[in-house]
Amino acid sequence: MKTIEVKKPSGYATQIGPAHPALKEPVMFTLDIEGERIRRVDFVPGMAHRGIEWMGMRRNCIQVMYLAERICGICGITHAISFVRAVEQIAQIQVPNRAHYIRSIVGELERIHSHLLWAGVAAHELGFDSAFYLAWRVRENVMDLLEYLTGNRVHYAIIQIGGVRRDIVPDQFPRIEESMKFFENAYAQLAAVFLDDTTVRMRCRDCGVLTTDEARELCPVGPTARASGIKKDVRIDHPYAAYADIEMEYQTPDLLTGEVRGDVYDRIVTRLLEVKQSIGIVRQLLAMLPDGPLLAIPKPAVLLAKLKGAAGEAVGRHEAPRGEVMHFVRLEAGKDEPVAWKVKASSYSNYLSWIPMMEGEQIADIPIIAASIDPCISCTDRVALVRPDSRRILTKEELHRLSVEKTRRIQAALAKRENP
Amino acid sequence: MNLLSPPQIAEVLQAAAGAGFVSARCTEWAEGVKGRKSKQVWLKIARESLIPTLQRLVAIHYPHISVIACADVGAQVELMYHFHVYWGIPHEEVLVTLTVALDKADLKVPTITGIIPGALTSEREKQEMLGIEVVDIPDGRRLFLPEDFPAGVYPWRKDETGIPPDMIKDLWATGRENLKFEDNPPPPAPNPANPVNPV
């Protein structure tokens, strides 16, 4: 059995962070370098740990739901839906079917916005800023749609224990369809920009490889796992919400390219395929939207009394844009607060994959590899404390410059080859 | 693949746990119009049975570990190992939870990273947050807590080793150190003529 060796770095060690090389969130990498090659990787998360679980075990379930929603700004619905699903199972609250459908529709719109945000960040890390502007401009459409449907661009506040807060009415369907058409066109445009571009291909193909076996043992989730050929998707494996009523396919890169290589390029392919899949799911769910109430227990006081009497333990899960999010909740009768609450964010499972991905690669590849798992640090860390360090620190700007220079070098070599 | 039903999985794992078996239950939960059910198996076992039970689980299907959840239940600390088997088969995934209770006098548990390397993140987190010792863990450093976090304080414990009151910073007191909580204005009295929150 393979064990993960993490030793103190020897020889030439360089540190990146806590300012993050790829995202504007803090995590610290320590790299053992030989020339330009990375020999060994170590990372220290925790710079954004806010002790949310500790806070949650001192609040009642309705308050925890709002707290859970604020774990992450990108996955605004993910943590709320996972937490309420755990509580509903303990208290045996049957959520109306219409609410299940609305939860899933908002969940898919969130996936579209998150994947487009990621596509922009990835393009920026490669020095491909025109694609970054394109992806983020396209993303504004889904943000507007989310605001139109829920009232908020982030933290939609649509999930409630036992249902949802707002309805989606037939008058709103044309506006949703309009956005879906917009995204179909945008998908074709983005696929051409990202997948057919020679520079993107040269930077991302066979870079940051995670093999299928490594993926099985290190247990990553979401697009990171699927890009390595692991067919794992909570929406398909574990029937919940409206996903239980539809047939879906695992989005692995071979659907488009015919092979699975588990590199950065495959992770781009997987996320783009998922944007397309989400468009289909939203349309399908809107067509199937059942009638009925939105909430099982509309009165908060009645709900709180019921939750105070509930006892037991359950797990609530949701396929976030980055992969499986899981909340474990244990309630005791007579207590308002959950006696146990464990939040497992998707990046929590994906961190370990950085080690096999980065080892053997070049320093200039760090930003794109780090970004390729779409890390969400605030989700995973949940007291900010930064210590000054005397060792050499590569800043985000420096790293970004290195990455851009590598792209330019490749482009120059390419131009030379084509026009000798 | 020949799939075992949740009660069959519980039975097989009970046999593997041997004398360390405590209890087992299976639960189901349906959502959506079609009423497809998600399945869960909950097993309580002794610490000594953790490795053999997990090895038996691997023989069923290589499990995906979600996380090791935990609860401080007074004299004991409970660890809940959440695994999934039969992932990759639509609607057939089974959540298998192995609960291991550890006495606070002897908070030691063997590592499972020899079987599932991906459990490392969760095991490191449990060591720092709960003060347990994971025997033979390949990397025993802290994960989320800073290096200068006081020793002997474990945030998720609910006894005297938990977060002491002097470590809690009250946000409301920031910038008004001379103000006591009692000095805050009283909450508005309920006005029957204008109920803010009609129930």
Side-chain angles (χ1 to χ4, degrees):
Chain A
M1 234 346 126
K2 198 183 122 193
T3 54
I4 307 149
E5 273 184 48
V6 186
K7 289 179 189 160
K8 284 235 153 162
S10 60
Y12 174 45
T14 190
Q15 240 174 21
I16 301 164
H20 195 266
L23 285 183
K24 285 151 192 73
E25 287 185 278
V27 62
M28 187 168 74
F29 287 96
T30 308
L31 306 159
D32 204 357
I33 305 284
E34 205 176 87
E36 279 292 310
R37 292 269 157 212
I38 304 163
R39 270 202 318 218
R40 195 174 284 136
V41 185
D42 186 26
F43 58 89
V44 181
M47 280 78 178
H49 203 288
R50 291 156 283 162
I52 283 188
E53 285 132 323
W54 184 89
M55 291 191 260
M57 287 187 262
R58 279 145 188 88
R59 281 159 169 77
N60 74 38
C61 286
I62 295 183
Q63 291 170 318
V64 177
M65 186 195 73
Y66 290 98
L67 186 64
E69 191 159 16
R70 277 146 187 82
I71 288 173
C72 180
I74 300 176
C75 329
I77 193 175
T78 297
H79 289 279
I81 198 172
S82 304
F83 177 75
V84 302
R85 285 196 60 239
V87 172
E88 284 156 8
Q89 288 178 54
I90 300 170
Q92 297 285 318
I93 297 171
Q94 294 294 342
V95 178
N97 280 321
R98 192 174 178 87
H100 279 314
Y101 276 66
I102 295 174
R103 283 181 182 182
S104 294
I105 290 169
V106 178
E108 289 313 301
L109 293 177
E110 180 175 271
R111 193 177 321 278
I112 296 176
H113 111 70
S114 176
H115 283 353
L116 289 173
L117 180 131
W118 177 83
V121 171
H124 173 67
E125 299 303 345
L126 291 171
F128 195 179
D129 277 357
S130 45
F132 158 60
Y133 293 122
L134 172 70
W136 280 37
R137 186 178 62 76
V138 169
R139 175 175 171 264
E140 279 306 299
N141 189 299
V142 72
M143 302 303 283
D144 290 346
L145 180 62
L146 279 165
E147 188 183 6
Y148 174 70
L149 293 175
T150 67
N152 294 315
R153 282 164 60 91
V154 280
H155 300 321
Y156 319 113
I158 194 156
I159 303 291
Q160 295 207 285
I161 298 176
V164 291
R165 189 185 304 272
R166 288 169 204 276
D167 199 2
I168 298 178
V169 296
D171 285 356
Q172 292 175 313
F173 288 12
R175 170 71 182 84
I176 301 174
E177 181 52 34
E178 191 188 309
S179 280
M180 292 304 120
K181 282 207 182 101
F182 174 83
F183 284 118
E184 269 177 344
N185 294 333
Y187 167 76
Q189 203 180 359
L190 283 167
V193 167
F194 278 94
L195 301 180
D196 299 339
D197 185 89
T198 317
T199 317
V200 172
R201 193 182 289 263
M202 289 178 83
R203 280 300 307 271
C204 299
R205 256 300 175 216
D206 300 319
C207 167
V209 174
L210 182 73
T211 64
T212 310
D213 287 340
E214 284 167 342
R216 194 178 292 116
E217 289 182 354
L218 295 176
C219 301
V221 293
T224 311
R226 290 193 285 274
S228 294
I230 296 287
K231 294 196 170 181
K232 199 173 186 316
D233 188 326
V234 183
R235 296 172 292 171
I236 308 174
D237 295 333
H238 166 94
Y240 75 102
Y243 302 118
D245 293 344
I246 56 173
E247 309 300 326
M248 292 165 56
E249 205 178 340
Y250 298 96
Q251 299 297 305
T252 47
D254 50 319
L255 292 179
L256 193 74
T257 61
E259 56 177 345
V260 175
R261 291 210 213 170
D263 51 12
V264 175
Y265 190 81
D266 275 357
R267 277 167 232 136
I268 301 177
V269 172
T270 308
R271 291 200 176 86
L272 283 171
L273 284 171
E274 287 187 26
V275 171
K276 199 175 160 195
Q277 186 189 34
S278 293
I279 299 169
I281 295 175
V282 171
R283 283 185 168 147
Q284 209 176 338
L285 293 182
L286 271 181
M288 292 162 68
L289 193 64
D291 290 328
L294 295 179
L295 267 175
I297 305 171
K299 294 186 178 174
V302 179
L303 178 63
L304 268 183
K306 185 173 173 72
L307 292 177
K308 198 167 181 174
E313 55 188 3
V315 166
R317 299 164 72 206
H318 173 63
E319 181 78 12
R322 292 161 183 74
E324 175 209 39
V325 163
M326 199 201 94
H327 284 222
F328 169 82
V329 181
R330 183 185 281 180
L331 299 180
E332 262 177 34
K335 283 191 176 168
D336 283 321
E337 76 281 0
V339 289
W341 181 33
K342 176 76 195 98
V343 176
K344 199 279 291 182
S346 18
S347 298
Y348 184 103
S349 301
N350 287 340
Y351 273 175
L352 282 175
S353 323
W354 267 333
I355 296 171
M357 281 181 197
M358 286 191 189
E359 280 173 358
E361 300 294 349
Q362 292 189 345
I363 302 177
D365 293 324
I366 296 170
I368 185 63
I369 297 175
S372 75
I373 71 160
D374 199 0
C376 188
I377 314 292
S378 351
C379 263
T380 309
D381 295 356
R382 265 158 276 102
V383 195
L385 197 83
V386 180
R387 282 176 305 279
D389 208 296
S390 55
R391 278 175 283 188
R392 185 178 165 224
I393 293 173
L394 273 169
T395 61
K396 183 193 177 300
E397 285 71 25
E398 265 179 276
L399 265 168
H400 182 241
R401 182 179 51 79
L402 279 172
S403 184
V404 171
E405 281 173 6
K406 184 172 175 182
T407 300
R408 297 285 173 268
R409 274 202 307 277
I410 288 177
Q411 283 174 331
L414 200 67
K416 216 170 171 181
R417 208 166 64 198
E418 281 169 358
N419 310 303
Chain B
M1 200 189 326
N2 192 17
L3 302 186
L4 299 178
S5 68
Q8 285 172 323
I9 295 177
E11 205 176 299
V12 167
L13 294 183
Q14 180 178 346
F21 174 79
V22 181
S23 66
R25 65 191 170 94
C26 300
T27 54
E28 286 182 328
W29 184 253
E31 289 182 5
V33 177
K34 290 185 184 168
R36 275 187 183 134
K37 287 175 177 154
S38 59
K39 311 171 197 85
Q40 297 94 28
V41 176
W42 305 78
L43 240 81
K44 249 188 152 166
I45 52 172
R47 171 175 60 188
E48 291 70 28
S49 298
L50 177 63
I51 299 295
T53 312
L54 180 56
Q55 278 164 341
R56 187 66 190 87
L57 188 65
V58 173
I60 294 173
H61 185 233
Y62 191 84
H64 171 93
I65 184 165
S66 264
V67 77
I68 307 170
C70 51
D72 181 341
V73 290
Q76 289 181 317
V77 168
E78 284 184 359
L79 297 178
M80 277 70 74
Y81 290 74
H82 296 293
F83 300 103
H84 302 115
V85 291
Y86 298 146
W87 46 268
I89 308 164
H91 311 305
E92 290 296 339
E93 194 181 48
V94 181
L95 170 83
V96 179
T97 304
L98 303 180
T99 304
V100 177
L102 306 174
D103 287 325
K104 281 194 178 164
D106 181 24
L107 288 171
K108 282 185 185 165
V109 69
T111 179
I112 61 162
T113 50
I115 303 168
I116 305 176
L120 183 63
T121 314
S122 216
E123 286 190 348
R124 282 175 69 183
E125 187 194 41
K126 297 299 114 33
Q127 289 203 123
E128 59 180 7
M129 296 292 183
L130 275 175
I132 62 164
E133 186 193 331
V134 178
V135 182
D136 295 329
I137 187 167
D139 177 7
R141 295 170 305 161
R142 279 182 172 164
L143 185 66
F144 293 118
L145 294 183
E147 281 167 38
D148 55 357
F149 194 82
V153 175
Y154 305 113
W156 293 346
R157 289 272 284 273
K158 293 184 179 173
D159 48 21
E160 65 287 347
T161 60
I163 300 274
D166 61 332
M167 276 181 76
I168 301 167
K169 294 190 177 77
D170 286 315
L171 201 59
W172 63 269
T174 309
R176 39 181 193 176
E177 276 69 24
N178 301 325
L179 194 70
K180 291 193 184 73
F181 185 68
E182 296 78 43
D183 299 335
N184 277 349
N191 180 357
N194 180 22
V196 181
N197 230 339
V199 175

